[in-house]
Amino acid sequence: MSNGVVNVATEEVVRLEDVWVRFDGVAILEGIDLSVYQNDFLGLIGPNGGGKTTLLKVVLGLIRPSQGKVTVLGSTPERGRRFVGYVPQYSLFDRDFPASVWDVVLMGRLGQVGRFRRYSEEDKKAALNVLEMVEMLDFKGRQIGRLSGGQQQRVFIARALVSEPKLLLLDEPTASVDAPMMEEFYELLNRLKQRMAIVLVTHDLSAVSIYVDTVGCLNRKLFYHHSKEISAEDLEAVYQCPIELIAHGVPHRVLSEHG
Amino acid sequence: MSTAKPTMEILQYGFMQRALMAGILISITCGVIGTYVVVRRMVFISGGISHSAFGGIGLGYLVGIDPVLGAMLFAIGAALGVGAISRRTRLPEDTAIGILWAVGMALGIIFIGLSPGFAPDLFGYLFGNILSVSFSDLIIMVALTALMLVVVSLLFKEFLSLSFDEEFAKVSGVPTGWLYLILIVLIALSVVVLIRAVGIILLIALLTIPAAISRQFVSSLKKMMLLSTLLSIVFVVSGLWLSYVLDIASGATIILFSGIMFLASLGLSRWRRRSVSSKG
């Protein structure tokens, strides 16, 4: 990779090698190996408590693995996260918090601005751009708590995008988005995937079948073959229940028979 | 009100001028630091820091230094202590605060007991006496207020991010651990500014009430700081005047007046919301 003839199309943005996370001796993640490449759009599915959020936090350097190695953009997660955009699961911020949409989006630029400095024209331009992209420019001055759940989510996506990340991590981003907006949201991701790698943690299996390029299943262990196919055995192992129960909700394209 | 004394001529007294000056300084402190205390929910930690400062007051009496300096030492120590305990151990932060709160006060009692003679003005440190603010107190207050304003203006966007969403701030590359320590040290300094006026037991109310009222009516942190400062000035001056007219303790009057205004603000903001929603 470092010999100067890097194949741009396959640059590795995240690499996890035998990563284990244990809390009080209980394993949350077991021996995770994962590579995410520059153009990947990876959908992560799995049951609640299966470690999906933990995995994202390991990549962000918010949780240190008990064992194993994490590389983000060729560096440690702490250094690499400057180039990572993060949209947390519905944020539990205080709805009365005195901050406007504009304030919140600019927070995404803190990694770019030096300490003790004001936001530059460039920062502001970037903020205007992403607000326009998520169609929230008209709400720029609105207090963040006075928006609907879906609108807030768009602002948090803008906050993640404003740093022009090379990797975008989304944790159940559609939890508070209403159905008509959902399609719009996935179309936005579709446009973004040309510019960055995307990892989407979701329960929305139909979205997985339509929009993402590759699918991984996580329940402490990760089942991922850098493809869009999941075998029935994998699903059964992940959800630990008879496949009939869930295959019903899984569109055929995800299942392996389709080839 | 037949016992009311002429109010304008009290302004000629030096102690009254110093009290008003002190009132403005504590109002700036309450407006700026109180805003963070309220939006980041640090009321309990502020209470812990202010009460543990009593240990420093006692130490001041014991070794013969200005008790306010002793209080500053203890307040900063408690702030750093809580910060270190919550970062480095698995002890919940509120447990650490509760312990420091009582241990600080206990130390104060022991120190005062060990000091020769009696402790003059002890009541003032506990419940405040804005009329006894001296010129040297004012100098300390001016210096600390200026320092706080400089730090807050340099780190404004970082503190905003820390208060709104600490995890995201960390992910964006903000050194949240250090910022949090700086913020609680600022709270410790504000405790020192407030001690003379309302005392370590009552100051938590003045630190929170103006900010809590403002938050219901503003949409940005800066506006909240400004409005809290103005409200605090109104409360301190009104409380001071009331205490003079009624001849009752100044610190307690200021706090009681603020408390009543807080209740009134709840009613006002409810009415305002209702009239807004009925229009929409």
Side-chain angles (χ1 to χ4, degrees):
Chain A
M1 278 289 225
S2 55
N3 56 4
V5 279
V6 182
N7 184 352
V8 208
T10 58
E11 194 192 337
E12 201 175 35
V13 286
V14 176
R15 185 187 184 85
L16 270 64
E17 293 162 85
D18 192 32
V19 167
W20 290 68
V21 172
R22 295 186 192 87
F23 289 137
D24 293 324
V26 179
I28 309 292
L29 293 177
E30 296 180 9
I32 307 288
D33 289 304
L34 172 67
S35 290
V36 180
Y37 298 94
Q38 197 180 19
N39 294 331
D40 280 357
F41 185 175
L42 161 64
L44 262 187
I45 58 173
N48 283 329
K52 301 189 296 294
T53 298
T54 306
L55 183 64
L56 292 190
K57 289 191 173 178
V58 165
V59 173
L60 287 163
L62 292 172
I63 293 176
R64 203 161 284 171
S66 324
Q67 171 187 330
K69 197 176 168 213
V70 184
T71 314
V72 178
L73 289 148
S75 184
T76 62
E78 286 81 4
R79 283 162 186 271
R81 66 186 172 202
R82 277 190 54 204
F83 305 102
V84 180
Y86 174 46
V87 182
Q89 205 167 351
Y90 186 72
S91 307
L92 287 173
F93 71 94
D94 188 340
R95 290 187 69 97
D96 275 337
F97 195 97
S100 64
V101 167
W102 182 246
D103 290 333
V104 172
V105 171
L106 276 173
M107 286 176 197
R109 292 292 289 190
L110 280 169
Q112 269 77 16
V113 200
R115 281 298 90 74
F116 313 130
R117 297 254 184 83
R118 284 167 186 280
Y119 291 113
S120 66
E121 284 309 309
E122 201 191 330
D123 296 320
K124 289 174 187 164
K125 213 192 258 170
L128 286 174
N129 274 340
V130 289
L131 276 175
E132 192 163 17
M133 202 188 298
V134 299
E135 289 165 24
M136 287 298 290
L137 199 52
D138 295 343
F139 297 89
K140 170 166 144 343
R142 185 79 70 87
Q143 190 180 338
I144 182 75
R146 302 273 173 274
L147 298 174
S148 72
Q151 290 173 322
Q152 283 171 11
Q153 199 61 6
R154 287 202 244 179
V155 174
F156 292 136
I157 290 165
R159 177 180 70 165
L161 292 175
V162 74
S163 61
E164 289 152 28
K166 293 183 173 159
L167 168 67
L168 182 62
L169 304 178
L170 303 130
D171 195 353
E172 309 254 7
T174 52
S176 53
V177 177
D178 43 3
M181 253 201 59
M182 206 100 105
E183 203 169 319
E184 241 176 84
F185 167 73
Y186 287 115
E187 290 303 332
L188 172 66
L189 292 188
N190 231 357
R191 274 179 278 142
L192 288 171
K193 77 176 187 188
Q194 265 109 62
R195 282 189 272 160
M196 60 193 77
I198 301 176
V199 177
L200 169 71
V201 163
T202 186
H203 277 307
D204 184 358
L205 293 173
S206 61
V208 161
S209 72
I210 301 169
Y211 295 99
V212 307
D213 296 332
T214 60
V215 180
C217 288
L218 183 69
N219 188 11
R220 293 204 305 277
K221 293 193 178 90
L222 177 68
F223 298 84
Y224 180 54
H225 315 294
H226 202 264
S227 77
K228 203 169 175 172
E229 284 157 26
I230 315 161
S231 68
E233 296 82 61
D234 281 357
L235 273 179
E236 205 163 322
V238 165
Y239 282 93
Q240 290 172 324
C241 60
I243 193 70
E244 293 82 15
L245 279 181
I246 47 167
H248 203 66
V250 182
H252 300 299
R253 287 171 61 189
V254 182
L255 290 170
S256 58
E257 288 86 34
H258 199 70
Chain B
M1 283 298 172
S2 59
T3 55
K5 304 159 201 172
T7 39
M8 282 326 281
E9 80 186 31
I10 63 169
L11 293 175
Q12 290 160 7
Y13 296 119
F15 69 84
M16 201 43 109
Q17 290 164 356
R18 285 195 298 275
L20 285 175
M21 183 69 193
I24 291 171
L25 290 167
I26 63 175
S27 295
I28 295 170
T29 302
C30 290
V32 175
I33 306 301
T35 289
Y36 288 119
V37 168
V38 168
V39 297
R40 208 175 175 277
R41 294 167 190 248
M42 300 194 292
V43 177
F44 190 54
I45 193 174
S46 310
I49 291 171
S50 74
H51 282 76
S52 68
F54 187 62
I57 304 247
L59 187 68
Y61 282 122
L62 181 63
V63 301
I65 56 165
D66 185 349
V68 172
L69 285 179
M72 178 147 71
L73 222 66
F74 265 62
I76 293 174
L80 295 177
V82 170
I85 288 170
S86 66
R87 298 272 148 181
R88 304 246 158 79
T89 71
R90 294 186 56 178
L91 198 65
E93 188 174 275
D94 56 346
T95 307
I97 294 167
I99 293 166
L100 275 167
W101 183 309
V103 167
M105 294 226 66
L107 274 175
I109 301 284
I110 301 288
F111 287 152
I112 288 167
L114 292 174
S115 330
F118 87 122
D121 216 15
L122 180 59
F123 211 65
Y125 287 114
L126 286 173
F127 300 102
N129 186 0
I130 198 168
L131 296 172
S132 72
V133 170
S134 68
F135 188 68
S136 66
D137 289 332
L138 271 183
I139 288 177
I140 294 179
M141 291 167 80
V142 168
L144 292 182
T145 308
L147 179 66
M148 281 187 277
L149 287 178
V150 168
V151 173
V152 167
S153 60
L154 284 177
L155 294 172
F156 189 82
K157 61 188 185 344
E158 282 83 0
F159 281 153
L160 176 66
S161 173
L162 180 79
S163 310
F164 180 71
D165 184 344
E166 179 164 359
E167 187 177 68
F168 189 85
K170 198 170 173 185
V171 170
S172 311
V174 174
T176 49
W178 285 108
L179 279 172
Y180 179 68
L181 271 187
I182 294 173
L183 193 53
I184 50 180
V185 168
L186 288 182
I187 293 175
L189 296 182
S190 70
V191 163
V192 177
V193 172
L194 288 164
I195 277 182
R196 297 296 309 203
V198 279
I200 55 178
I201 292 175
L202 300 181
L203 67 84
I204 192 65
L206 202 54
L207 206 51
T208 49
I209 291 174
I213 296 177
S214 318
R215 186 164 79 154
Q216 306 169 68
F217 303 99
V218 299
S219 59
S220 88
L221 208 63
K222 263 182 202 154
K223 283 184 200 153
M224 184 168 162
M225 289 176 173
L226 263 171
L227 183 58
S228 313
T229 303
L230 292 176
L231 284 175
S232 176
I233 290 176
V234 171
F235 296 164
V236 171
V237 172
S238 312
L240 191 56
W241 179 76
L242 275 174
S243 75
Y244 177 78
V245 169
L246 304 172
D247 198 19
I248 48 180
S250 61
T253 313
I254 292 169
I255 298 300
L256 271 180
F257 184 73
S258 310
I260 292 166
M261 288 297 120
F262 177 69
L263 282 179
S265 82
L266 286 183
L268 180 64
S269 105
R270 209 161 178 200
W271 171 80
R272 189 167 156 262
R273 259 173 219 196
R274 202 177 299 154
S275 64
V276 164
S277 62
S278 67
K279 264 180 224 152

